[in-house]
């Protein structure tokens, strides 16, 4: 298949690009390199440096004979979405609409959309949220992702459109940007590899559902299979506290460091995990356990630091 992959120079997108190429697909990456890196785009992929909000994507659909869209390009920072909600909406709502409209014009039915479970469901109560939980967006970012989902849903009733929405939990793995405000695994690894103490905001008892990028990649491959369509959570359903995660990473580093405790960030969720039973029914299973996933990620950052 000819896959148009937006955001393929970014953390998750570049892993998806590699896996799609390995599976024998042709991959056409569209990325404006705002947070992505050209070097992360596999050499076998076709690359267009384009902004999905500004540039006409029509010629790419036409010339590359696109069969499937996999949409990972986005303004990804929750904190930045509070600072500049218009930019967030332009990237995540208008950018997504541009893609959908081009897909409709060029008869591309399948659109895989990278959405968010963590930000969308709000505070977790009781058990991990499944897809029928009523969304409770608490940030402009969550609103813009949910809006993208709504457009896909509504337009799929009036057009030939087969959306596959993947609502990710907290994704971690090699290649994640450690310099942003999100991605606690990458941030901790980066600091530890420089000999610095990890910083914990708040008491550290807040929980997250950490899913390896490897398992996110296999969900994206699953999304290409015929018969798989709809909205799916992508997570482990396991809550891990930031204290536990930090302890695991400090142990991996072998360093003797005191944790740097700082005040909680306003608006941060206390508990978050998603139930991926619906995706499991398609045959998908997360295979990477946290211990091994953290080891692989720490190793990546260690090698980067010594490069
Ligand atoms: N990392 C997570 O834990 C997580 C969780 C839930 C959802 N997601 C979603 O997964 C997707 C990928 O996230 P990531 O963590 O790999 O982030 P990332 O910042 O590494 O990747 C985003 C990519 O999109 C590109 N991009 C941004 N705006 C663009 C535009 N207007 N036109 C073209 N390219 C543009 C960037 O240059 C970058 O390469 C995003 O849609 C994000 O919202 C990520």
């Amino acid at each position: 298949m000819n896959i148009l992959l937006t955001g393929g120079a970014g953390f998750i997108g570049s892993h998806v690009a590699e896996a799609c190429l390995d599976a024998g697909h042709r991959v056409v990456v569209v990325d404006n390199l705002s947070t992505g890196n050209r070097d992360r785009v596999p050499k076998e992929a076709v690359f267009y440096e384009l902004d999905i909000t500004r540039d006409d994507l029509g010629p790419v659909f036409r010339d590359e004979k696109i069969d499937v869209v996999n949409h990972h390009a986005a303004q990804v920072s929750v904190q930045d979405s509070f600072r500049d909600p218009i930019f967030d909406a332009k990237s995540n709502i208008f950018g997504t609409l541009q893609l959908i409209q081009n897909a409709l014009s060029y008869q591309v039915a399948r659109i895989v959309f990278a959405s968010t479970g963590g930000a969308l469901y709000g505070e977790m109560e009781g058990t991990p949220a499944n897809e029928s939980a009523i969304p409770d967006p608490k940030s402009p970012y969550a609103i813009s992702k949910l809006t993208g989902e709504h457009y896909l849903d509504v337009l799929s009733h009036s057009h030939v459109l087969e959306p596959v929405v993947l609502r990710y939990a907290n994704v971690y793995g090699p290649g994640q940007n450690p310099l942003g405000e999100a991605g606690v695994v990458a941030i901790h690894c980066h600091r530890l590899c420089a000999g610095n103490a990890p910083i914990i905001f708040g008491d550290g008892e807040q929980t997250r559902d950490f899913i390896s990028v490897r398992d996110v990649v296999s969900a994206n491959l699953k999304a290409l299979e015929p018969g798989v369509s709809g909205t799916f959570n992508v997570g482990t359903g396991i809550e891990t506290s930031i204290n536990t995660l930090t302890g695991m990473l400090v142990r991996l580093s072998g360093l003797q460091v005191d944790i740097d405790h700082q005040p909680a960030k306003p608006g941060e969720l206390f508990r978050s995990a998603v139930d991926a039973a619906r995706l499991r029914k398609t045959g998908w299973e997360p295979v990477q356990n946290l211990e091994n996933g953290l080891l692989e990620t720490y190793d990546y950052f260690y090698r980067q630091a010594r490069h």
Side-chain angles (χ1 to χ4, degrees):
M1 276 190 282
N2 293 335
I3 302 173
L4 172 58
L5 173 61
T6 71
F11 162 48
I12 300 172
S14 58
H15 285 277
V16 172
E18 271 167 27
C20 289
L21 287 163
D22 287 348
H25 300 295
R26 212 170 140 264
V27 175
V28 178
V29 169
V30 165
D31 199 298
N32 69 353
L33 304 181
S34 54
T35 57
N37 184 338
R38 177 70 178 91
D39 294 340
R40 294 196 58 82
V41 179
K43 288 186 184 49
E44 302 79 19
V46 180
F47 179 68
Y48 288 87
E49 187 175 340
L50 292 175
D51 188 315
I52 58 163
T53 66
R54 290 204 207 118
D55 298 303
D56 179 18
L57 303 172
V60 181
F61 276 81
R62 188 193 59 223
D63 298 347
E64 303 293 348
K65 302 193 171 31
I66 298 303
D67 301 304
V68 172
V69 171
N70 181 308
H71 181 30
H72 274 76
Q75 187 301 111
V76 301
S77 162
V78 171
Q79 297 302 323
D80 285 351
S81 80
F82 281 103
R83 286 191 277 264
D84 193 348
I86 293 180
F87 179 75
D88 179 83
K90 270 190 192 150
S91 306
N92 297 0
I93 301 177
F94 183 69
T96 300
L97 261 180
Q98 286 241 86
L99 269 172
I100 300 174
Q101 192 148 320
N102 274 293
L104 294 177
S105 302
Y106 289 89
Q107 282 93 45
V108 177
R110 183 155 296 213
I111 302 184
V112 182
F113 177 54
S115 188
T116 169
L120 206 105
Y121 293 121
E123 196 63 61
M124 175 181 146
E125 313 217 341
T127 52
N130 66 31
E131 295 82 353
S132 34
I134 295 168
D136 184 18
K138 291 273 193 269
S139 63
Y141 169 76
I143 293 172
S144 66
K145 285 286 175 182
L146 184 59
T147 305
E149 290 194 15
H150 281 320
Y151 272 112
L152 284 167
D153 180 42
V154 168
L155 290 168
S156 71
H157 296 297
S158 55
H159 296 75
V160 183
L161 201 58
E162 221 176 18
V164 183
V165 173
L166 300 176
R167 290 179 175 169
Y168 301 153
N170 280 68
V171 188
Y172 73 93
Q176 189 164 24
N177 179 4
L179 303 176
E181 291 159 349
V184 60
V185 173
I187 295 169
H188 277 4
C189 286
H190 185 69
R191 287 186 65 82
L192 284 165
C193 289
N196 296 319
I199 302 170
I200 291 182
F201 296 95
D203 68 2
E205 283 308 296
Q206 63 272 42
T207 65
R208 295 294 179 266
D209 179 346
F210 292 100
I211 179 90
S212 155
V213 72
R214 283 176 181 276
D215 293 320
V216 167
V217 161
S218 64
N220 276 270
L221 292 178
K222 182 57 75 180
L224 299 176
E225 290 181 11
V228 175
S229 72
T231 301
F232 300 94
N233 286 338
V234 185
T236 64
I238 301 166
E239 287 178 83
T240 303
S241 76
I242 300 300
N243 285 332
T244 302
L245 177 94
T246 309
M248 289 168 86
L249 284 169
V250 170
R251 268 196 303 284
L252 275 176
S253 75
L255 295 176
Q256 303 286 327
V257 283
D258 290 329
I259 309 295
D260 182 354
H261 283 278
Q262 295 196 9
K265 287 186 180 170
E268 229 200 312
L269 295 177
F270 190 63
R271 290 179 66 198
S272 174
V274 301
D275 173 2
R278 186 182 285 175
L279 188 58
R280 284 172 193 264
K281 282 201 189 112
T282 69
W284 173 87
E285 274 295 325
V287 295
Q288 181 82 293
N289 72 34
L290 189 57
E291 194 84 43
N292 291 339
L294 292 183
L295 182 59
E296 185 192 18
T297 310
Y298 186 82
D299 190 50
Y300 166 85
F301 280 100
Y302 187 83
R303 280 184 284 110
Q304 288 289 108
R306 269 136 201 86
H307 210 56

